Amino acid sequence: MKSIREIFRNNQSLLEEPEVMQLVDYCSELQDEIVELKFQKTDNKELAMLDMIKEVIKGCDAIEREQMEHERYGYDAPDYISTIADLKRYIYSRCRDEKIWL
């Protein structure tokens, strides 16, 4: 789908017209409704949440491995270990609270 800016890229001044501004607002509302309908169609927001959480955890694991490699070869690297550990602890506790099993 084309964005509103792409549609009016040749004539940006039209975006300042009141009618066009109303149309842009209306389109934004419709886009939000489309997103909601997609979620209702699948009737399961948990799947999207699970995918996001799994990706965050994969990223955290990758940074932990990178940190270990930096330490192994003896050059300085940022210390993200405590930050990652806190983030993972938070995610796992929220998953436990919400009964989402990874």
Side-chain angles (χ1 to χ4, degrees), residues 57-96:
I57 291 174
K58 275 194 248 179
C60 292
D61 290 338
I63 291 174
E64 284 178 334
R65 281 192 304 275
E66 185 178 329
Q67 178 76 24
M68 286 189 286
E69 288 176 8
H70 283 286
E71 291 170 1
R72 178 179 175 196
Y73 295 113
Y75 54 91
D76 293 335
D79 183 25
Y80 295 119
I81 296 295
S82 61
T83 305
I84 292 169
D86 291 341
L87 179 60
K88 286 173 73 173
R89 197 172 316 121
Y90 169 75
I91 290 171
Y92 285 129
S93 68
R94 283 298 307 260
C95 288
R96 187 176 47 252

Side-chain angles (χ1 to χ4, degrees), residues 17-31:
E17 295 293 325
E19 293 85 5
V20 174
M21 291 172 71
Q22 287 177 347
L23 183 60
V24 167
D25 291 340
Y26 181 68
C27 288
S28 296
E29 290 174 21
L30 287 177
Q31 287 174 344

